[in-house]
Amino acid sequence: MRTFIKTVVLPSLFIVAVATNVSAQSRRSTTTKTTPVKSTRTVTTTTTKKSTASRRIPSKKVTYKKPTKKVVSVRNVPNRAVVTYKNQNYYYANNKYYTQSRGRYIVIAPKIGFRVRVLPTNYKRIRFNNYNYYNVNGTFYLQINNEYEVVEPEVGTVVYELPDDYEKVVIDGQSYYEYANILYEKVQVNGTRAYEVVGVIDVE
């Protein structure tokens, strides 16, 4: 009987123990491998966008490199069209928007919600997320029925030039470009310099 135990039972128990240990190591190895996968996914998600700017940026976090903005005004605006927005009249001519103050017309960045019936001839169409945006000197339009409404572009929208009167700003130590409260970051697209929309400044 002792011989039987030594020659059959003990080797069988040894084999079962080894198999159990191997199985346990295999399970532990599998669990360990899932950790870097999860870590990789997290890193990919957080590093998809290079910039630290989020969708909405409080204006108090934005520092302009120039202390004051140059104000452009003219005495007359020929062939102007009146744009009424929130019970206030604005004026549109020569692809620019104006407000009137003390007998002069002051160039302003268009407000979200302004509508025009005809796009300026120098617009550029930008396809992004199944939308056709029309960009004119930093102003983005979407077609609404038979009109074109000024809208905020989505984060990730790319343009290849900025308006002449853009401004440089700093947010959390990083530099960006701003026009009409839209924030841009300089990027490279197929070796070409471009500017990607990374956020919008909330004006308080």
Side-chain angles (χ1 to χ4, degrees), residues 30-49:
T30 302
T31 303
T32 303
K33 287 180 180 178
T34 58
T35 302
V37 170
K38 290 181 180 178
S39 175
T40 301
R41 287 177 181 169
T42 301
V43 171
T44 300
T45 301
T46 56
T47 58
T48 298
K49 193 166 289 298

Side-chain angles (χ1 to χ4, degrees), residues 107-125:
V107 177
I108 63 168
K111 297 180 181 293
I112 303 301
F114 277 12
R115 287 190 178 189
V116 294
R117 293 188 178 277
V118 180
L119 284 174
T121 56
N122 61 333
Y123 73 82
K124 294 181 180 177
R125 191 175 72 171

